[in-house]
Amino acid sequence: MKNLKFEYKLSLLYLLIGGIWIIFSDKMLSSMSNDIDFLTKTQMYKGWFYVVVTTILFFLFVRNHLTKLRDTELELEHHKNHLEQMIHEKTIDLASKNEELFRKNEIINQKNSELQNTLIQLQDTQSHLFQSEKMASLGVLTAGVAHELNNPLNYIMGAYIGLYRHYEDKTFSEYDEEVGILIDALKVGVERSVSIVDGLNQFTRNSQSYNEECNLHEILNNSLNILQHQLSSNVVINKQYFDSKLIIKGNVGNLHQVFVNILNNSIQAISNHGTITIKTSLDYTDVCIEITDTGEGIKAENLEKVADPFFTTKEPGKGTGLGLAITYNIIKKHNGILEFQSEYGKGTIVRIKFPI
């Protein structure tokens, strides 16, 4: 009964009341009288009574149903109004949060822009720092290079004087062997001068590309040529190069700066007699360069700080503390690795690895 719709309930109720009333009223009247006039009048009253009763019952039934419908409508209206209010509040809250998010996004964009500008400034500063350190190194090397150039120039001048004397005396044919020696001396002097100048040119080149072909053996030899004036007879250079050329992609000028810095430190670490061994090798994925000196070494407490900016154990005026810091950054830009191994009083090993 509960599952029936309202119209079915109403129809069933009407049939039930009507059927019960007809059966009950007819039996009651038949038992009371057999008078036809009385029964006719009573039937009329019985009909009106049925109409009145069913009207009252239908009214109550319909009113009860409609009351429930109206209550349901009121409740739905209330929920609707409440839902609209909630939607309105949520919309306002969402708009507020969107506005706050927009402001925060603007702040983040502004900070990102500031960070980008700061990064550009840092990169410019680092570039200037690299160049400044290179110029400082050049300043230290200039006097030595000038002295170093005097030797091949003396070869050239001596050969020129000897050849000029033979030219004046017209004795070239009489002294063939001596003339040959003078020409060889002239050739050695020119080649030595070209080698020194070429090394300086490679060191001072200012390319920004990291896609140049870098012949590591040539760069090491050029670096030694630049530092030749600092190599006394007490320092022996032992080259243990790999059998074939070792070429990587990188920046030629910056790699010169790396090896000049490291070799210069090795030379300065040797106070009396000593050896600097340069060994290059190739494994499956890396080119390895190992520079070993028999100098004074690095104290254990300083070993982790040697590549820190402005850290130096040299006397004031003899070191900026930037050489190895810049060396570390250059190697890092080449996706390389820089390692130090040292024992104070015995020497230092510097290992560099570059990916092939």
Side-chain angles (χ1 to χ4, degrees):
M1 193 72 175
K2 290 182 178 179
N3 296 328
L4 291 175
K5 294 184 178 179
F6 174 72
E7 57 268 27
Y8 297 125
K9 288 182 180 180
L10 190 61
S11 298
L12 287 173
L13 183 62
Y14 182 80
L15 289 173
L16 182 62
I17 293 172
I20 293 171
W21 173 253
I22 291 169
I23 295 170
F24 177 75
S25 62
D26 285 349
K27 285 184 178 183
M28 186 178 67
L29 287 174
S30 296
S31 64
M32 289 176 61
S33 174
N34 292 322
D35 186 358
I36 295 175
D37 292 334
F38 172 76
L39 291 174
T40 302
K41 289 181 180 179
T42 305
Q43 285 290 348
M44 183 184 65
Y45 293 131
K46 186 183 73 167
W48 281 107
F49 178 78
Y50 173 75
V51 170
V52 171
V53 170
T54 53
T55 300
I56 292 170
L57 289 174
F58 285 152
F59 170 76
L60 293 174
F61 188 80
V62 171
R63 188 183 69 170
N64 180 59
H65 183 73
L66 292 176
T67 299
K68 289 181 180 179
L69 287 175
R70 292 188 184 103
D71 291 341
T72 303
E73 286 180 356
L74 288 173
E75 189 175 354
L76 286 173
E77 187 68 23
H78 173 73
H79 284 303
K80 178 184 175 183
N81 294 335
H82 181 65
L83 184 61
E84 288 178 351
Q85 180 66 25
M86 287 179 62
I87 292 172
H88 180 68
E89 291 175 358
K90 292 295 182 182
T91 302
I92 293 173
D93 185 50
L94 186 61
S96 176
K97 288 183 177 179
N98 281 338
E99 186 177 350
E100 184 180 358
L101 187 63
F102 180 75
R103 287 199 302 270
K104 288 182 178 179
N105 194 44
E106 282 189 332
I107 293 172
I108 290 171
N109 288 336
Q110 182 180 354
K111 293 296 181 182
N112 283 340
S113 178
E114 291 175 0
L115 283 173
Q116 188 68 25
N117 291 335
T118 302
L119 181 61
I120 292 171
Q121 291 175 3
L122 284 173
Q123 289 173 342
D124 289 342
T125 302
Q126 187 183 51
S127 177
H128 292 150
L129 196 61
F130 282 10
Q131 196 63 21
S132 297
E133 174 63 17
K134 186 182 286 187
M135 291 302 102
S137 299
L138 272 179
V140 174
L141 297 174
T142 299
V145 170
H147 173 75
E148 189 63 23
L149 278 172
N150 276 333
N151 292 328
L153 288 176
N154 286 335
Y155 272 92
I156 295 169
M157 183 57 72
Y160 165 76
I161 291 172
L163 289 171
Y164 187 74
R165 187 181 67 244
H166 285 297
Y167 170 75
E168 284 187 328
D169 296 340
K170 298 181 179 180
T171 56
F172 281 110
S173 58
E174 298 176 16
Y175 297 93
D176 287 345
E177 185 177 351
E178 183 179 339
V179 169
I181 293 172
L182 291 172
I183 291 174
D184 286 342
L186 191 66
K187 180 174 181 288
V188 169
V190 171
E191 287 177 347
R192 179 66 184 143
S193 298
V194 169
S195 174
I196 293 170
V197 172
D198 184 59
L200 282 174
N201 285 336
Q202 294 292 333
F203 180 77
T204 55
R205 63 191 293 174
N206 196 27
S207 170
Q208 299 299 316
S209 172
Y210 279 80
N211 199 37
E212 300 172 341
E213 285 198 352
C214 305
N215 187 325
L216 294 178
H217 291 164
E218 285 186 2
I219 293 172
L220 285 164
N221 290 335
N222 284 338
S223 300
L224 287 171
N225 285 336
I226 293 171
L227 295 168
Q228 188 66 39
H229 67 284
Q230 295 194 37
L231 291 170
S232 65
S233 58
N234 295 330
V235 179
V236 177
I237 300 296
N238 179 19
K239 297 180 183 179
Q240 298 179 9
Y241 288 174
F242 189 67
D243 293 338
S244 58
K245 291 181 180 181
L246 295 179
I247 297 176
I248 65 170
K249 292 291 185 179
N251 185 288
V252 173
N254 286 349
L255 287 178
H256 273 81
Q257 190 171 0
V258 164
F259 292 116
V260 166
N261 284 340
I262 293 173
L263 289 168
N264 188 45
N265 284 342
S266 294
I267 293 168
Q268 292 178 355
I270 299 172
S271 54
N272 296 315
H273 297 277
T275 302
I276 297 174
T277 302
I278 306 171
K279 181 180 178 181
T280 63
S281 59
L282 178 66
D283 62 18
Y284 294 106
T285 57
D286 297 310
V287 171
C288 304
I289 305 99
E290 190 173 277
I291 299 174
T292 305
D293 67 66
T294 57
E296 64 179 12
I298 305 169
K299 292 180 179 179
E301 61 269 22
N302 293 332
L303 195 57
E304 293 184 358
K305 298 183 287 185
V306 291
D308 291 351
F310 305 107
F311 176 80
T312 180
T313 57
K314 297 176 183 177
E315 297 178 7
K318 292 188 176 182
T320 62
L322 291 174
L324 287 178
I326 290 174
T327 296
Y328 172 79
N329 282 320
I330 292 173
I331 292 173
K332 189 176 179 182
K333 281 191 173 183
H334 286 79
N335 298 315
I337 298 172
L338 175 64
E339 297 175 340
F340 295 91
Q341 179 183 333
S342 184
E343 187 175 348
Y344 189 64
K346 291 189 176 182
T348 301
I349 301 173
V350 181
R351 293 187 185 90
I352 304 167
K353 291 183 178 181
F354 294 113
I356 299 174

